[in-house]
Amino acid sequence: QLPGFCEGSGSVLGVQTHVDCSSFLGHKAVYRMGFSMAAFFFLFAVLMVCVRSSKDPRAAVQNGFWFFKFLALVGITVGAFYIPDGAFTSVWFYFGVVGSFLFILIQLILLIDFAHSWSQLWLRNADESNAKGWYAALCVITFIFYALSIAGIVLLYVYYTKPEGCTEGKVLISINLILCLIVSVVSILPKIQDAQPHSGLLQASLITLYTIYVTWSALANVPTQTCNPTLLVRNSTGSASATQLLTTWWDAPSIVGLVIFILCTLFISVRSSDHPQVNKLMLTEESTTGARGDGAGAVESGGHRAYDNEQDGVSYNYTFFHLCLLLAALYIMMTLTNWYRPDETLQELRSPWAAVWVKICSSWAGLLLYLWTLVAPLVLPDRDFS
């Protein structure tokens, strides 16, 4: 309960207001918590610049001093709630938009890598075991993904467009539908199949389903009431007559977004550390070349070796690691607030068109990125894309 923090929190200058303020306080609290997390990771990203080995005194801060790091995080969080209100929320919203867009691109890279790895694994199992069950499983999963995508497109046309009006929604859905059809056709072209034998409809179906989700998430932020049936439910602070409808923090697009975020985090965590794609993404070195010095710290475990000796060189880029966590903090912040921000008068929570275009552009970037993974072996025949 912060008097004067926003109208509705009590008596403002002796005048009793009648606007529900719980949504404002909730959103502003999330923005300040996101700011503290981002500031914490940015501080460590700057602190760890050019750390090459564990001989650097700063490496000890990266791998230890946990009590003091948690204490610093608590201190930054407490300080964030003392930031004067003013234009902080409105300005920080755009930092969150940019950071979320960059993190969505990282998610897309992981999703594309996962799709290719999935197809390669099942096709390899089918070839080695000479069993048709793997091919049947591929067909079933691909059919399910495309069926869900078609159902999603139909529902988007039904709920987020009208026979008259809602031109933006119709155009965005149609463009993404056409792009999904293009990448699906390209993935099974004979020349693409010759250059990439593991390329197929499984990857295309997964990318298509994700694109439909991003389109749905974008349309859920359209600030036009007639074209967005979920807008009123998630924006209840505009007038006293709307106070009966509480703000829905956990709407469906947000829940799906957080699930995808968790799955991508688990994927990159459990992935074999000597996988080249993950090493390139996280700017790490190959574990096979990671044996340094006399091999101290090497642990033999089956066919894999884990090296924890960083005296001659770090096993991952500390700064890039913290930058990824910074972007993840901004992404979670925007997801929890449904990409809403207070308007100029600080009297109403609005969903701006900026949120819609950021999500749509991220879906286009993902489709173009996947398309590039298909045509790259043809465009650059001298490079090894295995």
Side-chain angles (χ1 to χ4, degrees):
Q1 298 298 324
L2 302 176
F5 196 64
C6 67
E7 290 196 22
S9 58
S11 175
V12 180
L13 298 177
V15 179
Q16 189 70 27
T17 58
H18 301 283
V19 181
D20 180 20
C21 192
S22 59
S23 298
F24 279 102
L25 292 176
H27 278 68
K28 291 183 178 184
V30 173
Y31 278 123
R32 278 161 170 72
M33 192 68 206
F35 173 81
S36 63
M37 295 288 289
F40 177 78
F41 290 123
F42 178 77
L43 175 65
F44 276 89
V46 174
L47 186 63
M48 296 299 159
V49 170
C50 297
V51 174
R52 303 299 183 188
S53 70
S54 60
K55 296 177 181 178
D56 192 311
R58 294 174 294 171
V61 179
Q62 169 72 11
N63 299 312
F65 296 97
W66 294 102
F67 172 77
F68 297 100
K69 285 192 283 191
F70 279 113
L71 191 64
L73 177 59
V74 172
I76 295 174
T77 303
V78 173
F81 280 86
Y82 283 91
I83 297 176
D85 196 27
F88 169 79
T89 305
S90 299
V91 173
W92 186 242
F93 168 84
Y94 290 102
F95 280 91
V97 167
V98 175
S100 299
F101 176 77
L102 295 176
F103 188 77
I104 288 174
L105 293 183
I106 294 178
Q107 281 191 334
L108 288 167
I109 295 173
L110 293 174
L111 185 69
I112 293 171
D113 179 42
F114 170 74
H116 282 295
S117 302
W118 187 1
S119 179
Q120 290 176 8
L121 176 63
W122 281 20
L123 289 175
R124 189 184 306 117
N125 291 339
D127 293 336
E128 292 176 355
S129 62
N130 202 15
K132 296 182 179 180
W134 290 105
Y135 292 108
L138 274 173
C139 294
V140 170
I141 295 296
T142 302
F143 174 79
I144 292 175
F145 284 166
Y146 273 121
L148 291 175
S149 301
I150 294 173
I153 291 172
V154 172
L155 292 175
L156 290 180
Y157 275 117
V158 170
Y159 288 101
Y160 290 93
T161 63
K162 301 294 181 182
E164 297 180 0
C166 301
T167 306
E168 298 88 352
K170 295 176 183 177
V171 171
L172 295 178
I173 298 173
S174 301
I175 289 177
N176 279 0
L177 174 59
I178 294 172
L179 292 177
C180 290
L181 290 174
I182 291 175
V183 297
S184 297
V185 172
V186 170
S187 66
I188 57 175
L189 291 177
K191 289 186 177 181
I192 300 295
Q193 293 283 317
D194 293 338
Q196 292 201 54
H198 294 103
S199 174
L201 289 177
L202 176 64
Q203 300 97 309
S205 64
L206 182 59
I207 299 301
T208 297
L209 184 60
Y210 183 79
T211 302
I212 300 305
Y213 155 71
V214 175
T215 308
W216 170 39
S217 180
L219 294 177
N221 279 108
V222 171
T224 306
Q225 181 65 55
T226 56
C227 303
N228 184 1
T230 62
L231 187 64
L232 181 61
V233 177
R234 296 194 293 140
N235 183 10
S236 62
T237 60
S239 63
S241 61
T243 55
Q244 299 301 320
L245 296 172
L246 299 178
T247 297
T248 303
W249 287 83
W250 299 98
D251 63 339
S254 298
I255 293 174
V256 177
L258 290 175
V259 169
I260 294 175
F261 163 77
I262 294 172
L263 292 178
C264 286
T265 305
L266 290 176
F267 170 68
I268 198 171
S269 300
V270 304
R271 198 84 151 107
S272 176
S273 62
D274 60 358
H275 193 274
Q277 276 77 21
V278 175
N279 288 328
K280 290 177 182 177
L281 175 64
M282 298 305 296
L283 301 181
T284 60
E285 298 182 14
E286 296 287 345
S287 63
T288 54
T289 61
R292 305 179 180 95
D294 58 357
V299 179
E300 194 78 38
S301 176
H304 298 276
R305 289 181 178 181
Y307 296 93
D308 58 3
N309 183 2
E310 295 184 319
Q311 291 186 0
D312 294 326
V314 296
S315 59
Y316 64 96
N317 188 300
Y318 291 165
T319 296
F320 188 78
F321 170 76
H322 288 291
L323 288 177
C324 286
L325 293 179
L326 186 156
L327 298 178
L330 294 176
Y331 176 79
I332 294 177
M333 179 186 77
M334 299 306 295
T335 302
L336 289 177
T337 58
N338 294 322
W339 297 67
Y340 274 52
R341 67 173 176 84
D343 64 357
E344 290 74 10
T345 62
L346 300 179
Q347 300 300 309
E348 187 176 355
L349 288 172
R350 293 187 179 275
S351 177
W353 275 103
V356 179
W357 286 111
V358 165
K359 294 180 180 180
I360 288 296
C361 289
S362 68
S363 69
W364 294 342
L367 289 170
L368 291 176
L369 189 62
Y370 173 65
L371 187 62
W372 171 248
T373 64
L374 296 177
V375 302
L378 298 178
V379 178
L380 304 172
D382 297 331
R383 292 188 59 181
D384 181 19
F385 290 93
S386 60

